[in-house]
């Protein structure tokens, strides 16, 4: 696996190189073009490790060529950070699948695991903080950019969830329970490192992009903030996700129209972050803005005679239905099952299933 964190600490060395010798642009530009092409192809094929390797090298060369404050360097860092994020999401999904398969094969959790899960649940109730172990993949959400061809994660998430079975075929009795626990802890640490690397790289890009003031650069800055928000959501740092998505929204509001699907998508991301941060009233308030923007766009499309606009209008009605369903879901959260109403055998089975899924997360 490539050295995923190398870009965060290269600025000082690159500045020394830039100051000591002129850059041979004629020699370096074909290399940059080749790395960009190979990284883009690997990303499109969901080959995250190859994309990381190419974009990481591209970022390093771009920094040495154009400087650590250049917007070109920031653009490369965003591609690098996005690949790191997708790799982290894939590893998170595989780890959850493996834990669920192991729990199902084992039939029950050890007493130590049950005690550990119970302690984590108690801690969450006490301080309101989300678990540091679980990682969310936010699938099945409304696709705000489908018609415009800008959906970023639908296909790649599908490939990430089903592209590999690494680690699933190992039998539960091949190692002692203590060794399995150690392996799982190592995998979780690697997973946290993946998200941390993505955050570090994207945050460097954010700092660089924040200095530019033209429209194109400001919109790129907003996209980087959205990626940082995605990292925070996957890492369950929902308060930070609220901050990043909100700032991105404030930037995009300056440049996008009142019927922009991108704006509706971002309102939804802010709402989702608030919902997971246990602020449902604020989330519902923002969802009303999502409905308002999409409703305005639908009205504008229906008044058009373009076949393309009519096709988009049909898909937009589906998106509005999804949004309405999400609002109803948040208004009426699912009530926990009352175990006291179950028989002793049913209650024991329910507790066992709950513990198994808790371990899988």
């Amino acid at each position: 696996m490539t050295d995923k964190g190398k870009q965060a600490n290269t600025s000082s060395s690159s500045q020394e190189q830039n100051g000591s010798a002129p850059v041979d642009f004629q020699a370096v530009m074909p290399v940059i073009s080749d790395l960009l092409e190979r990284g883009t192809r690997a990303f499109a094929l969901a080959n995250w490790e190859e994309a990381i390797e190419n974009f990481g090298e591209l970022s390093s060369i771009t920094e040495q060529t154009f400087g650590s404050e250049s917007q070109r360097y920031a653009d490369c860092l965003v591609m690098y950070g996005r690949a790191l994020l997708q790799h982290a999401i894939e590893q998170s999904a595989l780890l959850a699948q493996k834990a669920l398969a192991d729990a199902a094969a084992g039939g029950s959790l050890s007493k130590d695991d049950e005690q550990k899960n119970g302690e984590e649940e108690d801690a969450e109730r006490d301080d309101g903080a989300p678990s540091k172990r679980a990682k969310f993949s936010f699938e099945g959400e409304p696709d705000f950019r489908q018609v415009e061809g800008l959906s970023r994660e639908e296909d790649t998430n599908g490939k990430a969830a089903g592209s590999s079975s690494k680690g699933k075929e190992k039998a539960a009795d091949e190692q002692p329970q203590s060794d399995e626990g150690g392996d799982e802890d190592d995998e979780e640490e690697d997973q946290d490192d993946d998200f941390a690397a993505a955050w570090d790289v994207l945050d460097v890009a954010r700092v660089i992009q924040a200095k530019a003031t033209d429209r194109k650069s400001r919109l790129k800055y907003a996209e980087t903030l959205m990626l940082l928000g995605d990292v925070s959501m996957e890492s369950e740092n929902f308060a930070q996700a609220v901050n990043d998505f909100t700032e991105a929204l404030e930037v995009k509001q300056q440049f996008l129209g009142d019927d922009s699907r991108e704006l509706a998508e971002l309102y939804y991301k802010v709402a989702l972050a608030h919902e997971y941060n246990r602020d449902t009233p604020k989330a519902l308030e923002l969802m009303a803005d999502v409905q308002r923007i999409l409703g305005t766009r639908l009205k504008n499309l229906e008044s058009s005679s373009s076949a393309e606009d009519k096709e988009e209008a049909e898909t937009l009605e589906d998106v509005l239905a999804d949004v309405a369903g999400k609002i109803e879901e948040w208004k009426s959260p699912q009530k926990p099952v009352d175990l006291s109403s179950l028989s002793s055998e049913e209650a024991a089975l329910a507790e066992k299933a709950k513990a198994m899924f808790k371990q899988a997360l």
Side-chain angles (χ1 to χ4, degrees), residues 94-196:
L94 292 176
L95 182 60
Q97 290 174 3
K98 180 180 182 296
L100 186 59
D102 289 345
S108 62
L109 299 176
S110 67
K111 291 183 178 180
D112 290 341
D113 287 334
E114 290 178 350
Q115 181 179 0
K116 183 178 180 182
N117 287 338
E119 290 173 351
E120 288 176 351
E121 288 183 347
D122 291 341
E124 290 173 16
R125 294 191 192 99
D126 292 341
D127 59 18
S131 167
K132 295 180 180 179
R133 299 174 63 241
K135 297 289 184 291
F136 287 88
S137 285
F138 297 92
E139 300 176 351
E141 305 296 349
D143 184 3
F144 293 92
R145 297 190 177 190
Q146 183 177 17
V147 170
E148 297 172 323
L150 294 174
S151 179
R152 291 185 294 270
E153 296 180 5
E154 182 179 9
D155 292 337
T156 55
N157 279 347
K159 293 177 183 177
S163 61
S164 173
S165 59
K166 181 179 179 182
K168 294 180 185 178
E169 298 176 357
K170 184 177 290 185
D173 58 352
E174 285 183 6
Q175 293 180 331
Q177 182 67 31
S178 59
D179 290 341
E180 288 184 357
D183 291 342
E184 290 179 1
D185 289 341
D186 290 341
E187 288 176 337
E188 288 170 6
E189 289 178 3
D190 290 341
Q191 179 184 330
D192 290 338
D193 289 343
D194 288 340
F195 284 110

Side-chain angles (χ1 to χ4, degrees), residues 4 43 48 52 77-93 135-137 152-153 156-157 160 191 193-199 201-202 223-224 226-235 245 269:
K4 295 174 286 188
F43 190 94
W48 310 129
I52 289 169
L77 287 176
V78 170
M79 291 185 282
Y80 183 31
R82 185 182 282 117
L84 286 166
L85 172 59
Q86 290 298 330
H87 180 264
I89 291 173
E90 178 184 68
Q91 295 306 306
S92 176
K135 297 289 184 291
F136 287 88
S137 285
R152 291 185 294 270
E153 296 180 5
T156 55
N157 279 347
Q191 179 184 330
D193 289 343
D194 288 340
F195 284 110
W199 174 271
V201 169
L202 290 168
E223 289 292 327
T224 301
M226 291 174 67
L227 286 170
L228 285 166
D230 290 339
V231 175
S232 295
M233 289 292 284
E234 294 288 345
S235 305
F245 287 146
K269 283 180 174 288

Side-chain angles (χ1 to χ4, degrees), residues 27-39:
V28 78
M29 292 308 294
V31 177
I32 289 177
S33 178
D34 181 60
L35 288 170
L36 177 60
E37 181 181 352
R38 285 192 280 138

Side-chain angles (χ1 to χ4, degrees), residues 214-288:
D214 61 282
R215 181 182 188 276
K216 184 178 180 180
S217 297
R218 294 300 291 170
L219 288 174
K220 286 183 178 181
Y221 173 66
E223 289 292 327
T224 301
L225 287 169
M226 291 174 67
L227 286 170
L228 285 166
D230 290 339
V231 175
S232 295
M233 289 292 284
E234 294 288 345
S235 305
E236 295 191 54
N237 189 351
F238 302 124
Q240 181 62 48
V242 167
N243 293 337
D244 289 330
F245 287 146
T246 300
E247 185 177 354
L249 177 60
E250 292 171 353
V251 173
K252 287 202 171 189
Q253 282 177 320
Q254 301 173 22
F255 302 103
L256 302 181
D258 291 338
D259 67 342
S260 168
R261 289 175 71 133
E262 286 188 45
L263 211 56
E265 178 194 28
L266 197 38
Y267 266 107
Y268 178 78
K269 283 180 174 288
V270 181
L272 189 65
H274 276 290
E275 170 64 14
Y276 275 93
N277 202 37
R278 303 182 183 184
D279 189 357
T280 299
K282 182 62 177 179
L284 292 173
E285 178 184 329
L286 290 161
M287 290 295 274

